[in-house]
Amino acid sequence: MSEEKPDLKLDHRKWRRRQFIAYGVFALGGVATWRTWSWIKHAPDVNGTQAPLRRAFEFNEGVNSVIKSHGHLAPTYPIEQASRTLRSNGQAGVKQPIDLSTWKLKVVKGDTPLEVTMDDLRAFPKTELCFEFKCIEGWSEITHWAGVRFSDFAAHFNLGTKSGAVPDPEKEDDLFAYTSLETPDGGYYVGIDMHSALHPQTILAYEHNGAALTVEHGAPLRLIIPTKYGVKNLKRIGTIAFSDTKPRDYWHERGYDYDCAL
Ligand SMILES: Nc1nc2c(c(=O)[nH]1)N[C@H]1C(S)=C(S)[C@@H](COP(=O)(O)O)O[C@H]1N2
Ligand SMILES: [Mo]
């Protein structure tokens, strides 16, 4: 099994295409804004700017900072293109039976670990993602997932920072360098650099193709991280922790590249 070297030329083309699409979206936003100008003019004024316009500015700022801070977004697909089946690959740490009614996610934070239930997770805004899932062994499939954006989860519980504040990708000094995830039995474990963990497409997924995750795909909760190969998409999360030292990583210990970035 060989590691694939990234094709830089291809990446560059993809990047140009993404920029083009991004600016296209902004341009469309501009036309829409112009067309609704009179509506905006009569809208309530918030801090000196009409509310709808202000929201548009904030949206654009948000998109810009996402593009700047995260380098790239994985391409996404219409949900109809997702394959109805998905092969199951890798059963390390998920072979034992699991009692979904008592499962809790453990989050190591200071001296008082948090315990998070599926109900807690379902109370977060649901983020959907349809992208091409790539296994380092050479297969890929378009897959559709839904769950909680990792950055929303981290922001809510003030995770991943030394100060205990909400993590901010711009405040490098306050961020732990890594997050680690492992299965409840410790049989599979991964380390993820903090910026990739906080990437807007990284999700704690509880649904696949619109239904609750099956055990073979990581019920009740798995990591979906489209900027990395399948190996980092840990199924059946038991514990999440944060550190400055590189966490141990199952496939890295077996000779694979640590980052497994796409
Ligand atoms: N717990 C656990 N998660 C895991 C693995 C594993 O062996 N154990 N294998 C990884 C690999 S190599 C791949 S390609 C994907 C496959 O996900 P799937 O079985 O849902 O298709 O899971 C990843 N997550
Ligand atoms: Mo894989």
Side-chain angles (χ1 to χ4, degrees), residues 24-254:
V25 169
F26 293 156
L28 281 174
V31 171
T33 308
W34 176 74
R35 280 182 160 238
T36 51
W37 184 245
S38 67
W39 170 65
I40 288 166
K41 267 202 306 203
H42 298 105
D45 190 296
V46 182
N47 292 343
T49 312
Q50 266 79 22
L53 206 53
R54 201 181 150 75
R55 276 200 293 277
F57 288 149
E58 283 165 2
F59 174 77
N60 282 358
E61 259 171 38
V63 172
N64 270 329
S65 76
V66 162
I67 290 173
K68 254 188 255 146
S69 64
H70 299 288
H72 76 285
L73 292 174
T76 55
Y77 297 82
I79 284 163
E80 307 78 66
Q81 285 185 27
S83 58
R84 296 314 302 165
T85 55
L86 169 63
R87 75 173 83 187
S88 175
N89 202 51
Q91 303 302 320
V94 296
K95 287 176 209 137
Q96 288 170 25
I98 179 166
D99 182 354
L100 297 176
S101 66
T102 57
W103 175 94
K104 283 193 179 83
L105 172 63
K106 201 151 59 146
V107 183
V108 182
K109 187 196 178 196
D111 304 328
T112 47
L114 296 171
E115 292 204 320
V116 183
T117 65
M118 277 315 300
D119 283 345
D120 297 333
L121 287 159
R122 285 200 195 89
F124 278 86
K126 183 154 130 186
T127 298
E128 304 222 14
L129 186 70
C130 189
F131 78 105
E132 190 177 0
F133 187 99
K134 292 179 182 153
C135 172
I136 210 158
E137 290 169 339
W139 56 270
S140 74
E141 283 191 62
I142 294 181
T143 53
H144 171 209
W145 309 90
V148 182
R149 194 173 267 155
F150 189 89
S151 59
D152 289 349
F153 180 78
H156 180 81
F157 292 112
N158 297 327
L159 303 175
T161 52
K162 292 160 202 172
S163 66
V166 170
D168 176 350
E170 310 271 317
K171 292 191 182 136
E172 192 74 48
D173 290 349
D174 193 32
L175 286 182
F176 282 111
Y178 297 95
T179 180
S180 60
L181 298 95
E182 64 176 63
T183 55
D185 67 356
Y188 195 76
Y189 37 90
V190 298
I192 311 263
D193 66 276
M194 204 56 174
H195 286 282
S196 299
L198 295 173
H199 184 283
Q201 292 174 311
T202 300
I203 62 178
L204 298 169
Y206 51 75
E207 281 181 12
H208 171 235
N209 282 345
L213 282 189
T214 57
V215 169
E216 60 171 351
H217 293 306
L221 191 73
R222 78 175 297 167
L223 185 69
I224 287 295
I225 180 159
T227 51
K228 307 251 182 212
Y229 278 108
V231 285
K232 296 285 190 182
N233 292 242
L234 182 135
K235 299 188 275 194
R236 195 189 288 187
I237 308 172
T239 307
I240 299 181
F242 302 92
S243 66
D244 270 337
T245 51
K246 226 176 212 186
R248 64 193 190 123
D249 185 276
Y250 186 92
W251 281 110
H252 182 58
E253 288 171 358
R254 287 155 181 79

